[in-house]
Amino acid sequence: MATVDLLTKKPFGRITADGYMKGVTTKFLSDANYYESKEQYRIMSQADFLREYYPSGHLINSEEWYPDKIKYEDVVDETTGKTSRRYYKEKVMRVSVPFQIIITAQQLVHTFGNNVKHTIITSSPSEDETNNFYEWRMGWLQKNMEIALYEFGKSLFITGDSAMVFYLDEDGKLGVKNLSYMNGDVLFPHYDSITGKMNVFARKYYDYDEDNDKKTEWVEVWDDKYLTRFKRDLKGIKGFSTKIKELFGLDGFVQVGDPIEHNFGEVPVVYYRIDGPVWSAVQDDIDHWELGFSHLTQNNLAFAFPILVLKSDEGAEIDTDMYGAVKAIKMGSSDEAGYLKHDESPESFKLFLEKLSEIIFLGSFIVKTPEVHSGDLPAAAIKLIFSPSLDKAILNKKDLDKCIDNMQRLFTTGYGTEKGKITKYRSMNILSEIDPYVHQNNSELIGNLVQAVTGGFLSKDTASQINPYSVNNEMDKIIGEEKQKQQSDLLYQLKQEQNAANATESANNTNGNNTSSNAA
């Protein structure tokens, strides 16, 4: 690990058109050598991504990009008679729409709306494996891994990267913590250049004083064995040097305490990064949409109140109230008065906003929920309607597959250590994968499951797992109910047999008594 590289990482950027189509023209390709064009990027910070996410930070609210109107009026000084010009600023209407929040929410729902699907890849798991797998799945839920995965995905889709760190507390219990720029964390992953495996991970964050000024800078470093913490007082208090500090190249930082062994055998961090937030491809379109709609709003505001038009040769006298409303007009017989008619918004302007809205949703794989006028839709129709969002969720599933495997492996190590079953848990061949969410007709799904089970090509166990109304370990409950029913039937049968035997014995006793009486 290079000493100076710890707090560095590849910046986020958006490619520009600079340099496009600058290659020379040639009659034959064989006459030209290999042409290499260097791409150019506009560097983006994660703070820029947050500004794009929240409507209050949108570009339309920047006076540098969309300036207010500067107006002036000539003012005559009554004393000197000189005319001076007075400038003033007129605020323009600015409209920001939360497109980014809508895009993020829908992609989150379709990618992380369902719980992660876990399956044992064993044709016939033993009873011990089944019990361990059930306990493992309960641990996954009890440790709120689904919530941690959702927060992981939310940070990833909004800020471009995200991390999840696993740890064992003082009592040996597994814990999970999400790290995100949204929470003030700057993440620095470092990988082996040959294997691509993470070998060091650093997290930087700040403490703030009562004035919201940065007071202390902290850096936490995980390697395959230790967690080491460093801090730097931003007021200039110097600390001492350590060998580990020199190894990581943290000049000006002071090591806090001794390195803590985390007992995971690898860097206990899951990190993932994408090119930028999920709306990056349509950000320019959103900016233009908000600008166009702001212009439309400004135009409508100009005609919000009736504009009086007077035609008079000699001038007219107008009486108004304190709010400027016209109350009376004194004018000649040949004068004319009326209100200026407001032209409706042109169809071209309406078409511009509608088409740009379609492009924004199409480019971000978002679907506007249609109005349903007749009952429940069949599953095939629902999937077709939401196919863009579902397509994107399936692609996200493929991209995050390795990430989910890393989460499962670290969870298995930590939870196995907590339960004292690390060897048993690791021996289970578990497949974990994201199950993309799609709106469905539950009645139709259950009907299809019944037909599949009745047809004999789907087991009741698998059907109970797919059933949307099932809860954990549904088949065990069904088997338990069946055993209870059999037990009740057996007890009833035994009771009936016992009653019959008692009736027979009673009848025999009665006949015996009658025989004795007759003999006497």
Side-chain angles (χ1 to χ4, degrees), residues 122-137:
T122 304
S123 57
S124 300
S126 64
E127 183 177 355
D128 186 53
E129 285 181 323
T130 302
N131 293 335
N132 287 332
F133 179 59
Y134 174 76
E135 183 181 49
W136 184 93
R137 284 192 304 169

Side-chain angles (χ1 to χ4, degrees), residues 320-327:
T320 61
D321 61 11
M322 60 182 297
Y323 300 105
V326 177
K327 293 299 183 182

Side-chain angles (χ1 to χ4, degrees), residues 3 10 16 26 30 42 79 82 122 139 160 179 225 228 234 247 255 283 311 315 331 360 371 398 402 422 464 468 474:
T3 303
K10 180 183 177 182
T16 68
T26 179
S30 57
R42 182 172 73 249
T79 304
K82 293 183 178 180
T122 304
L179 305 179
K225 190 173 183 180
T228 311
L234 299 180
L247 172 64
Q255 181 178 328
Q283 179 58 42
K311 294 181 180 180
M331 57 185 185
I360 290 172
E371 295 183 9
K398 298 296 184 182
K402 186 177 180 180
I422 187 170
S464 69
E474 193 68 37

